[in-house]
Amino acid sequence: MRIGLLAVGRLKAGPEKDLAARYLDRFAKAGPAVGLELARVVEINESRAANMETRKRDEAAQLEKALADGSLLVLLDERGKALDSESFATLLGTFRDGGKRDLMIAIGGADGLDPALHARADAVLCLGKMTWPHQLVRILIAEQLYRAVTILAGHPYHRA
Ligand SMILES: C[S@@+](CC[C@H](N)C(=O)[O-])C[C@H]1O[C@@H](n2cnc3c(N)ncnc32)[C@H](O)[C@@H]1O
């Protein structure tokens, strides 16, 4: 199964981008052994509309366009379900074994993700109850993807 990231907002060159790239690179190298591949990282611009609902709708429309047909969609949202790393690895394994070709993981911008995306999401997950800036969320999910692969592979990187 191919896993991609969909992000509202762009990572500028700098330490956040470097660290996210380092974990994504590890994920890309280790993933194929457990049937997970890094697909694409798609960044869209934050909407500049005056109204928040319009901004979220505009961003959702762009995110929908970037979704592959039939793709699974996981949203990251502080109000989502908290999983430990083993459970996240298990969820990815279940999605992989379900036979879908693509899974995209979406990170919102300053306004969060539109309810229309929540309605069609296959899972909404949180990385703790606190609100993180999207740049840090990119690093956190990249590391958890790599960690999930090591868990599925029985590699000692993850020590529970
Ligand atoms: C600055 S936050 C936006 C917060 C926004 N006010 C809201 O209500 O969703 C930017 C994005 O980072 C992600 N994010 C931030 N904190 C998170 C957390 N604790 N768990 C999962 N995702 C989080 C979400 O995708 C969110 O849309």
Side-chain angles (χ1 to χ4, degrees):
M1 181 174 70
R2 301 184 303 200
I3 300 184
L5 292 183
L6 282 178
V8 179
R10 298 184 187 275
L11 276 192
K12 295 191 188 115
E16 295 95 345
K17 188 169 184 156
D18 292 347
L19 192 51
R22 188 190 308 169
Y23 285 120
L24 285 181
D25 187 51
R26 288 188 192 178
F27 170 66
K29 289 190 172 117
V34 296
L36 299 177
E37 280 171 47
L38 177 65
R40 307 168 289 155
V41 177
V42 180
E43 294 179 319
I44 66 157
N45 290 327
E46 290 204 63
S47 167
R48 295 180 175 215
N51 173 280
M52 182 175 79
E53 302 312 321
T54 311
R55 288 196 296 274
K56 285 166 80 162
R57 260 206 315 277
D58 288 351
E59 290 165 0
Q62 287 195 66
L63 293 174
E64 287 276 7
K65 261 195 234 163
L67 272 177
D69 273 352
S71 176
L72 293 160
L73 177 64
V74 171
L75 305 186
L76 295 179
D77 186 301
E78 61 262 43
R79 293 156 293 258
K81 183 173 176 183
L83 296 181
D84 59 28
S85 295
E86 285 93 352
S87 304
F88 181 57
T90 301
L91 180 68
L92 292 182
T94 304
F95 282 145
R96 173 199 60 195
D97 298 342
K100 292 269 185 145
R101 189 173 160 83
D102 292 286
L103 164 65
M104 297 297 274
I105 300 177
I107 302 167
D111 297 317
L113 293 161
D114 192 67
L117 288 172
H118 280 256
R120 70 89 79 211
D122 298 282
V124 181
L125 303 181
C126 82
L127 301 164
K129 287 185 186 294
M130 290 180 175
T131 301
W132 304 102
H134 71 89
Q135 296 91 334
L136 289 184
V137 171
R138 197 89 75 90
I139 296 167
L140 293 173
I141 193 62
E143 197 277 342
Q144 286 300 304
L145 284 169
Y146 172 59
R147 185 176 293 273
V149 164
T150 67
I151 291 168
L152 291 170
H155 184 279
Y157 175 76
H158 178 72
R159 293 174 214 168

